[in-house]
């Protein structure tokens, strides 16, 4: 009986001190639809009523949706623990299955750059006690989300103070991928409602690829963290982005680790990203103690 009582008290204490997850409906005037986002609030948020909190925007990959980081990591409490450890609000926005966090020139229903930068951020800032300034806002993501995080931060340095990419799909151009005919056909089909035909409009794929934004990253001078698994099919393009950043003298943190394009890899990578981004927030005076 005593054991059961102790177990109950321990469980109650752990539950009371654990991060909370809200699911928020965020409408998009740009796309005339509403998507959901998950918002992970550290346990301290409910207790520390006077503090404003920094925010990490954590982006999902292709073929996924907003809750992936909560459902697909082997450790289902990973994001909760990181929110608690660093007193950080973590927002998991919707980016659809293959929209790449950009504004489509061919599809009015796929305007995710506008959605992320002009609709989600204001909604989060209106709903929660956030630091409503770039010094308290950071962004990272996996695969398509790695591309999205570097793409959005490069184009909107007024919104973010640091960015990262895990296993980023950092080049949208097919010419730099070793694709089978079937894979190339599938890829063309996926890109058609986002950027149209690469054969007809190759400049769209070039202009929107992170690999071609390195000079913009240099000018912005945001702290950057990039990593990729050595067995990942995207390792070559990540090495190329690293090479170009070195060549134009852009400071950045770059790491290769054992692993492939898997949730095991991303579960291992995320704590490194959050630590790096927390150090930036701390230097900005935006970390909650």
């Amino acid at each position: 009986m005593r054991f059961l009582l102790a177990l109950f008290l321990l469980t109650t204490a752990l539950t009371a001190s654990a991060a909370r997850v809200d699911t928020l409906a965020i409408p998009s005037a740009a796309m005339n639809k509403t998507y959901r986002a998950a918002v992970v609030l550290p346990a301290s948020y409910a207790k520390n009523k006077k503090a404003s909190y920094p925010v990490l925007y954590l982006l999902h990959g292709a073929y996924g949706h907003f809750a992936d980081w909560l459902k697909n990591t082997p450790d289902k409490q990973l994001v909760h623990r990181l929110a608690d450890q660093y007193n950080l609000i973590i927002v998991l926005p919707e980016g659809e299955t293959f929209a790449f966090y950009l504004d489509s020139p061919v599809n009015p229903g796929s305007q995710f750059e506008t959605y992320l930068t002009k609709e989600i951020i204001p909604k989060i800032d209106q709903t929660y006690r956030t630091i409503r300034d770039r010094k308290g806002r950071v962004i990272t993501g996996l695969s398509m989300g790695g591309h999205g995080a570097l793409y959005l931060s490069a184009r909107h340095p007024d919104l973010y103070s640091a960015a990262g990419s895990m296993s980023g799909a950092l080049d949208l151009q097919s010419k730099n991928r070793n694709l089978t005919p079937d894979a190339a056909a599938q890829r063309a089909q996926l890109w058609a409602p986002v950027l149209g035909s690469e054969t007809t409009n190759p400049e769209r794929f070039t202009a929107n690829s992170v690999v071609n934004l390195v000079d913009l990253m240099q000018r912005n001078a945001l702290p950057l963290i990039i990593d990729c698994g050595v067995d990942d099919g995207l390792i070559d393009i990540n090495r190329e982005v690293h090479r170009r950043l070195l060549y134009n003298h852009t400071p950045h943190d770059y790491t290769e680790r054992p692993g492939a394009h898997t949730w095991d890899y991303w579960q291992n990578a995320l704590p490194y990203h959050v630590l790096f981004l927390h150090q930036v927030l701390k230097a900005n005076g935006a970390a909650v103690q």
Side-chain angles (χ1 to χ4, degrees):
M1 187 67 179
R2 289 180 180 174
F3 171 76
L4 292 176
L5 178 60
L7 181 61
F8 171 76
L9 293 174
L10 176 61
T11 302
T12 302
L14 289 174
T15 302
S17 64
R20 182 186 96 210
V21 180
D22 289 349
T23 301
L24 200 63
I26 305 180
S28 171
M31 295 186 282
N32 194 29
K33 61 185 77 171
T34 297
Y35 287 108
R36 291 181 296 165
V39 182
V40 184
L41 299 168
S44 65
Y45 182 86
K47 304 170 186 175
N48 196 347
K49 302 290 187 181
K50 295 183 179 180
S52 294
Y53 280 70
V55 182
L56 163 62
Y57 287 84
L58 181 57
L59 308 185
H60 68 79
Y63 314 105
H65 290 289
F66 74 97
D68 281 7
W69 275 105
L70 299 177
K71 299 188 303 182
N72 294 340
T73 51
D75 176 2
K76 299 300 184 283
Q77 294 299 306
L78 174 65
V79 177
H80 305 67
R81 278 203 314 279
L82 291 170
D84 278 340
Q85 181 179 353
Y86 293 103
N87 287 317
L88 184 66
I89 296 175
I90 302 179
V91 177
L92 313 174
E94 179 61 56
E96 268 296 0
T97 56
F98 206 82
F100 269 80
Y101 302 98
L102 53 85
D103 282 351
S104 168
V106 299
N107 182 0
S110 185
Q111 304 294 303
F112 281 90
E113 179 178 2
T114 293
Y115 185 50
L116 265 289
T117 59
K118 295 183 179 180
E119 296 177 325
I120 291 180
I121 288 176
K123 178 65 174 178
I124 296 299
D125 286 347
Q126 291 161 12
T127 306
Y128 300 99
R129 297 191 315 275
T130 63
I131 296 172
R132 302 179 182 185
D133 186 273
R134 66 178 296 276
K135 70 180 182 180
R137 196 180 297 123
V138 293
I139 186 169
T140 191
L142 70 89
S143 195
M144 178 181 83
H147 175 278
L150 295 183
Y151 180 84
L152 294 172
S153 62
R155 290 168 57 84
H156 301 275
D158 57 312
L159 295 179
Y160 310 98
S161 59
S165 169
M166 292 166 265
S167 312
L170 305 181
D171 190 353
L172 311 184
Q173 304 164 104
S174 295
K175 65 182 181 181
N176 296 325
R177 302 286 293 275
N178 185 20
L179 300 171
T180 66
D182 286 347
Q186 180 186 31
R187 182 180 171 86
Q189 187 176 21
L190 289 167
W191 276 122
V194 182
L195 291 177
S197 167
E198 187 173 3
T199 302
T200 307
N201 297 288
E203 71 283 354
R204 292 175 181 167
F205 292 77
T206 301
N208 287 288
S209 291
V210 163
V211 68
N212 297 319
L213 300 181
V214 293
D215 288 339
L216 194 55
M217 295 178 190
Q218 180 197 45
R219 290 197 296 274
N220 293 338
L222 265 63
L224 302 172
I225 178 170
I226 300 168
D227 67 69
C228 192
V230 294
D231 297 316
D232 194 309
L234 295 172
I235 187 65
D236 287 342
I237 183 56
N238 278 267
R239 287 171 176 167
E240 177 62 15
V241 170
H242 171 51
R243 185 192 69 79
R244 293 188 187 191
L245 290 171
L246 287 175
Y247 191 74
N248 74 0
H249 307 289
T250 302
H252 62 289
D253 186 301
Y254 177 77
T255 305
E256 294 181 7
R257 298 191 189 90
H261 210 71
T262 67
W263 280 101
D264 284 325
Y265 179 85
W266 301 319
Q267 174 171 287
N268 181 58
L270 182 60
Y272 291 98
H273 278 243
V274 179
L275 174 60
F276 177 92
L277 297 169
H278 170 74
Q279 293 297 333
V280 175
L281 293 169
K282 189 175 179 181
N284 291 345
V288 176
Q289 301 303 318

